[in-house]
Amino acid sequence: MQFRSKIAMTVGAAALSLSGASAVPAAATDVSVQAFSCNVTYTREGTDDSKYYAGYYSGETIQPSSTSVTAAGKEAQCILKYKGYNPGTIDGVFGSNSQTAAKNFQASVNRLCKRQVLAVDGKIGPATWPYLRQVYVCWDENN
């Protein structure tokens, strides 16, 4: 009787693997990420008050989340990408790629302004948003 049980279990396992069935639920293996499109525009073209917008978030205070999709995350990723700082997939989650892009942007602002105006911390918060939105990064050296 034991012999028949072992054969039945072996045949059952082989049938599962041949049918493509898996012991891991499909949801647990789904690692797809929704990518969002970017359409960055700017307002008041040609003035010192021009600002970039991607259409997801219009403020300058909310810090994008590193664990969930946010409008601020999509907005920051789009503008970083537009300015040449690769945040990776535009997914609204401000993960390690986005944080590296933000650090590179912050360091560039400091270099262009010839002084430290931003902490190079990879966070897009109230201090960094105005510089990210600005068309002219250092509009006033004494600012």
Side-chain angles (χ1 to χ4, degrees):
M1 196 62 130
Q2 277 185 323
F3 181 70
R4 286 185 185 175
S5 293
K6 287 182 183 178
I7 291 175
M9 286 177 30
T10 304
V11 170
L16 275 175
S17 66
L18 288 175
S19 71
S22 172
V24 179
T29 60
D30 184 14
V31 293
S32 62
V33 173
Q34 180 177 357
F36 295 92
S37 62
C38 292
N39 183 24
V40 176
T41 60
Y42 54 94
T43 60
R44 300 179 72 187
E45 182 178 350
T47 70
D48 288 343
D49 204 21
S50 296
K51 293 187 178 187
Y52 287 110
Y53 293 95
Y56 292 108
Y57 168 68
S58 62
E60 294 184 351
T61 58
I62 295 176
Q63 183 174 317
S65 172
S66 63
T67 58
S68 61
V69 176
T70 64
K74 291 183 276 187
E75 184 80 8
Q77 288 173 331
C78 285
I79 297 172
L80 283 166
K81 181 178 179 180
Y82 183 83
K83 288 189 167 193
Y85 302 90
N86 184 5
T89 302
I90 308 301
D91 60 3
V93 179
F94 215 73
S96 61
N97 290 337
S98 297
Q99 290 170 27
T100 297
K103 285 179 185 177
N104 291 336
F105 171 75
Q106 291 163 333
S108 291
V109 168
N110 291 341
R111 277 192 306 278
L112 289 169
C113 294
K114 298 179 182 167
R115 61 191 168 92
Q116 183 167 350
V117 294
L118 297 176
V120 181
D121 58 7
K123 297 176 183 173
I124 305 293
T128 302
W129 270 115
Y131 286 93
L132 189 60
R133 291 228 186 261
Q134 288 297 325
V135 175
Y136 305 103
V137 175
C138 277
W139 53 94
D140 179 7
E141 285 300 318
N142 297 318
N143 188 4

